[in-house]
Amino acid sequence: MSLKIRRIALSNFRKFRDPFVLDGLSDGLNVIIEPNETGKSTLLEAMRAAFFIRHNTANRLARSYAPHGEAVAPQIEIGFEARGEAWQVNKRFLKGASVEVRGPSGRAQGEDAEAQLQALLGARRDTSQAGDVAAHGALGLLWVGQAQALEVTPPGEIVRDSVRATLEAEVGTIMGGAAYQRVRPRIDSQFADYWTNTGRPGARQSTARTEHEAAERAATEAATRLAALEQGFADLEAARARLKVLDRDLADTADADRRRVLVGQIDVARSAAQLRDTRRAEQGRLADQVKALEELTGRLADARKALSKTVAELASAFEKRSALEEELATARERAGTARDRLAAARDNRRNAHAALDAAGKLVATQARHVEIARARQRRDELLPLGAQLDVARELGKTLIPPNLIKMLEERERAVDKARAAVEAGATRVEFTGDVSGVQIDGMPAEPGDRTLSRETRIQLGGAMLIIRPPAGLQSAETVLANARDDLNAALADHGVASVADARTRNEAARDAAANARTLEAKIAGLTPAVGLLGIADGASALKAFVAGLQESAEGEGSEEGPDLDALTAIVAEADSALARAEGADEAASMQLRQLEARNAPLMVQAAGAERDAANAEAQLAALEGKPEVAGLDQAVSEARQREAAALVSLQDAERAATAHDVSAIERQIGMLDKRVEVARAQRIDLEKVIAGLEARIEAEGGKGLADRAAVTRDEADAAAANLARVMQEADTLKLLRDTLEDAHAETSRTFVGPVARRARRHIEQLLPGSDPSFGDDLGLTSIVRGGLGENCGDLSRGTQEQLAVLTRLAFADMLLEQGVPVSLILDDPLVYSDDTRLDLMTEILTDAATRMQVILLTCRDRAFRHLGNRIILTGVE
């Protein structure tokens, strides 16, 4: 039967510092969609704490429930249905730790309440560890936190025990028989001598292998030493042969003769290089002389051209300035006249504006008096409206929130339900006729009906009639009393006599609130902002202004105001005259500025031309005064001839220097010296090697290495034979054990068949043609597709997450058949699913919601917005 969460109330629980209530959860699919960090995972943790964590726990997990940095008591209240009955659990941690469970049979507190929860939900005594969800029973498997569904894990022991009865009923057998139980321990005992639990070689095999490896190492070492001795003789002969070759090479004089020839060639090469450098420097000096004479010729020609150009520019500048001087004189005269007219227009305008400002102030004063009178009138109308508004607001504050009204109605229904249960179980008696002499519990009886809810004694003359109502009636009366106490306490908290009074008070409060809004609108209409008086909008601003006025009858003046229109016309005429004067002055000034602007560059141009002409004349005179200018052309020709001759001599010297390269000769000498040096170093190394080989041969020759190698080889062969025998015994035991294991696995596959059939119904929708395989622990181990098995750990993260959800659905269906209260809660599920798989999984979850309550906590609005009953945390109070 599905476990149905109806209501969750939190206070001081992690991020929910303020009281928080979540209700409205339906029987089927519920989707709680909110962004990250809004408390979705905290809700799941709070439900686990309420159902499975003991109230008097004070370890790190319980301390983590309190908001960070606050020493408060976390409180959780959950209303739920289990086995078709309504239940409620209230739990408080840390300070004043307590727990109370309310159900059909009344209330339980403390350890009795914890035991009642465990029995109801099929859980074990809590270990208070954050990750120990196996002790939570079916809900530990089906309430999946963030990232917990990313790995396909087997169910806990409690779930396996719960479904065992169903499996045995369907299969008709249990795993393993009596013969198997007798034989398997003996084989396991012998198997443990040869193999470890992980299938690796055990102690017997390891010992035999170690002995074989030691014997092989000894034989290999002896053979290696014998081979090294024999190799030493061969290496000694080879080293002596290489030494003879080196001695012969060092005695050869060909390289020494070649070196003496190269040393003689170096002096010739250095002389040729020195001559080449001399010729190169001489050719460079002559080239510089030619370049200097050519530059002098060019500078002389440029100076003559510049002088001619500057003289022409100076004449042009003087001609342009003479034509502009007359226009400048006329423009200066017009600008002076315009400035005089502008000064007179400004004086007239200033006088006209002063008269207009004085008249405006007088008119403003009269207008202020009128507005003050109107403000006093609005204040008088405002006072009674303000009093009415205060009364309406006070009445509106008595409104009881809808959720509290709903709570009162629920408690009233609980009282009616409990009263009906009492009346249904009570005994009714009726007295008619003469009842004199009849007593009920020692009191005289009266005619009419009477309801008996407890043991009652009726005296009938000498006989005693004892009436005992059903035993369960007393608990029903207790439930009725508790329901009445809860209702009366809630009514007293809100100051009402009954739920009907609460509704009546709410109606009056709503009418008052509506009337308050109407009065606020009227007051807002009476208190607009008055800029002339500096009054802001609002009743307080108007009252403050009127309170600050004097009691005199300000504003009753009746003096006739000045003629503002005539004064305004005078001001307009003065403004126009000023504008015309400013325009004339601006035009005259602009014309003068334009002429001065045209004259300024001409003056600069004339001055520059005059300066450039003087400079050009001085530069030309300086160049013509040099002595080399007289015979400049002949000097250039002779310098070019000397440069050509020097270039020919440089080319001859470079060819001579190339024929004898000093660097190449020095490299050849270095190579010959290096060859002799290396040969001598090799000879010294060979002499060391020969001495070492002779010493080793002398030391190893008399140790009988050949006999020792033969003995160690025989020992290695014997160890190899022993190892082969031990491995054969080990393989035999492994074959026997594997055979028993296969038979046991066949029985196991038969046992887990019902689980596989239920899971296959969902998995085939996700992976068509796939066959799930389960282990002895009822955990999904692999998927067979196309005849090939795939380990669950090798599948993609998305597929693993989807399979984890589907196998949980299969176990949930089996637990439902057992009558175990189950529900499915998934926190941020299917994060790795593609769009197609996501649509398919949502269809499967929607179908599962027809059999059990399903709650999805997610931040993915787009993926789940079309599903089930949507709940927004930010909209919950």
Side-chain angles (χ1 to χ4, degrees), residues 21-33:
V21 178
L22 172 66
D23 54 11
L25 295 170
S26 64
D27 292 348
L29 181 60
N30 300 271
V31 184
I32 299 177
I33 303 176

Side-chain angles (χ1 to χ4, degrees), residues 779-849:
L780 182 64
T781 58
S782 62
I783 294 292
V784 179
R785 291 188 286 187
L788 299 176
E790 297 178 76
N791 189 289
C792 287
D794 297 333
L795 299 173
S796 69
R797 299 298 295 274
T799 303
Q800 288 189 55
E801 183 184 29
Q802 296 149 16
L803 291 176
V805 173
L806 296 180
T807 53
R808 283 176 166 83
L809 282 178
F811 284 111
D813 289 338
M814 297 187 69
L815 293 169
L816 279 174
E817 296 175 11
Q818 291 294 315
V820 177
V822 298
S823 67
L824 183 63
I825 301 179
L826 302 176
D827 188 3
D828 271 341
L830 309 174
V831 295
Y832 290 101
S833 299
D834 57 42
D835 293 342
T836 303
R837 291 272 183 93
L838 182 61
D839 291 342
L840 183 57
M841 290 297 296
T842 54
E843 291 179 6
I844 294 174
L845 290 174
T846 302
D847 177 68

Side-chain angles (χ1 to χ4, degrees), residues 729-768:
E729 293 173 356
D731 292 339
T732 302
L733 277 172
K734 186 174 184 181
L735 177 61
L736 178 58
R737 189 172 183 272
D738 290 344
T739 302
L740 288 175
E741 188 67 29
D742 291 341
H744 183 256
E746 182 62 30
T747 303
S748 176
R749 284 192 294 273
T750 304
F751 184 73
V752 300
V755 179
R757 285 195 298 273
R758 288 173 171 84
R760 187 183 300 112
R761 178 168 62 91
H762 299 308
I763 294 176
E764 281 188 342
Q765 298 181 52
L766 182 71
L767 304 172

